[in-house]
Amino acid sequence: MNEVLQHAIAQAAAVLAGASRVAVLTGAGVSAESGVATFRDAQTGLWSHFDAQQLASQAGFSADPGLVWGWYMHRLAMVEAAQPNPGHRALAALAGHVQTLTLITQNVDDLHERAGSQRVLHLHGHIGRFHCNECGASYYLRPEDRQASLPPVCHLCNGYVRPGVVWFGEMLPDRILDEAWQAAERCDVFLVAGTSGVVYPAAQLPVVAQRHGACVIDVNTEPSLQSEYADIVLLGPSGETLPAVLAALPAQSG
Ligand code: BV8
Ligand code: ZN
């Protein structure tokens, strides 16, 4: 680990050690080391000719429900085959070092929960949950649905079933967005990890936090939109830098 990164890790640990309220925002980058492709990663196979935003939309689903269903079943299988990485585990452990930690994620995988994090705020939903696209009725995935060439149909209205994620052009869940916004306004430190910062309103959260006086820390393998204004920048993989920050924290008191 280079000098600059080691210094930034020590700075981040010092700031976190003095914090009582911490808010964290994660993106696809924190799951990259678990083998879950990021949104930037080129789509593979059948979907290589489509950009993620097109597939993750009502328009995409109406145009070709089978293609979009297949894409989500492909991604669901990737998530289920993946394991949390040291970055997820470091964030779960960080909760024990501060008075309040609010973990906000744009990810639709459950790797934070599998790493032991409690009450994760999923701004963009869950890839493992399903409901009817017409009437909203919940739906429980059957094994045969995974290989199906079309989405299952709703037992109430025959509408197509869709994944429980927020598509582009759709509103985020109110209560979750409000809780995330309040955590950003009230935190002493806002830690951003593994996000490019291009999708709104999630990308607004670190700005809100900094405007309310918080120290913003950005963790990424490359410069992101946050690193332009962040107070501390850790340029390295979150699976290595986050455990290093945790290791640099003073031992938990009591
Ligand atoms: C909405 C679920 C009301 C689905 C997702 C204001 C300005 C401009 C546009 C808008 C605006 N307000 C609204 C919009 C429109 C739109 C938007 O933001 N468009 C962008 C693209 C310009 N927002 C919406 O539509 C939102 N809804 O606003 O509703 C409304 C409606 C209509 C019009 C106005 C208002 C809904 C957005 C949610 C969409 N759903 N996901 C699914 O997953 O299938 S978004 C999805 O993409 C992810 O959840 C995530 O949010 C985003 C991908 O970003 P990242 O997670 O950051 O991933 P990415 O691949 O981009 O980057 C990975 C990063 O990790 C990189 O920086 C890389 O360097 C780094 N990295 C890689 N490896 C590592 C690493 N870092 C550390 N360690 C590593 N090992
Ligand atoms: Zn229905």
Side-chain angles (χ1 to χ4, degrees):
M1 227 174 253
N2 65 53
E3 290 269 315
V4 175
L5 181 52
Q6 278 175 353
H7 175 66
I9 285 168
Q11 269 189 305
V15 165
L16 285 164
S20 57
R21 274 198 268 246
V22 173
V24 178
L25 175 68
T26 64
V30 292
S31 294
E33 291 155 88
S34 297
V36 177
T38 70
F39 250 65
R40 318 199 110 211
D41 291 341
Q43 302 305 317
T44 54
L46 268 182
W47 308 281
S48 53
H49 310 299
F50 304 90
D51 80 40
Q53 282 181 45
Q54 206 183 351
L55 294 165
S57 69
Q58 273 290 355
F61 191 61
S62 323
D64 192 336
L67 181 79
V68 172
W69 181 254
W71 184 53
Y72 279 99
M73 289 304 102
H74 165 74
R75 291 173 58 195
L76 177 61
M78 218 173 7
V79 166
E80 290 170 336
Q83 291 303 324
N85 65 59
H88 295 108
R89 287 195 285 277
L91 291 173
L94 181 60
H97 286 260
V98 295
Q99 182 194 316
T100 311
L101 185 132
T102 306
L103 180 49
I104 307 158
T105 190
Q106 299 167 78
N107 299 342
V108 294
D109 65 50
D110 62 347
L111 295 176
H112 281 304
E113 287 87 349
R114 282 199 262 152
S117 287
Q118 314 288 319
R119 295 193 71 256
V120 181
L121 300 179
H122 283 261
L123 293 176
H124 299 159
H126 305 260
I127 197 166
R129 297 180 186 175
F130 301 88
H131 63 267
C132 172
N133 195 38
E134 305 306 325
C135 73
S138 296
Y139 179 86
Y140 296 92
L141 198 67
R142 301 166 306 169
E144 61 270 27
D145 297 331
R146 292 168 180 271
Q147 309 312 327
S149 58
L150 280 172
V153 293
C154 168
H155 58 285
L156 292 180
C157 78
N158 279 335
Y160 274 137
V161 167
R162 57 167 290 173
V165 301
V166 178
W167 280 334
F168 286 93
E170 294 184 331
M171 304 301 270
L172 277 58
D174 283 351
R175 188 185 56 70
I176 291 175
L177 184 57
D178 290 351
E179 207 175 324
W181 213 269
Q182 280 170 32
E185 289 175 339
R186 296 180 182 156
C187 66
D188 313 304
V189 177
F190 195 97
L191 173 62
V192 187
T195 185
S196 54
V198 296
V199 171
Y200 285 77
Q204 198 70 25
L205 291 168
V207 177
V208 168
Q210 198 172 53
R211 284 216 188 107
H212 284 74
C215 170
V216 172
I217 303 171
D218 187 49
V219 177
N220 201 304
T221 44
E222 58 186 59
S224 67
L225 291 179
Q226 291 82 238
S227 51
E228 284 164 25
Y229 61 82
D231 304 289
I232 302 173
V233 174
L234 279 63
L235 218 49
S238 52
E240 293 169 23
T241 51
L242 292 172
V245 170
L246 203 75
L249 284 174
Q252 286 168 292
S253 52

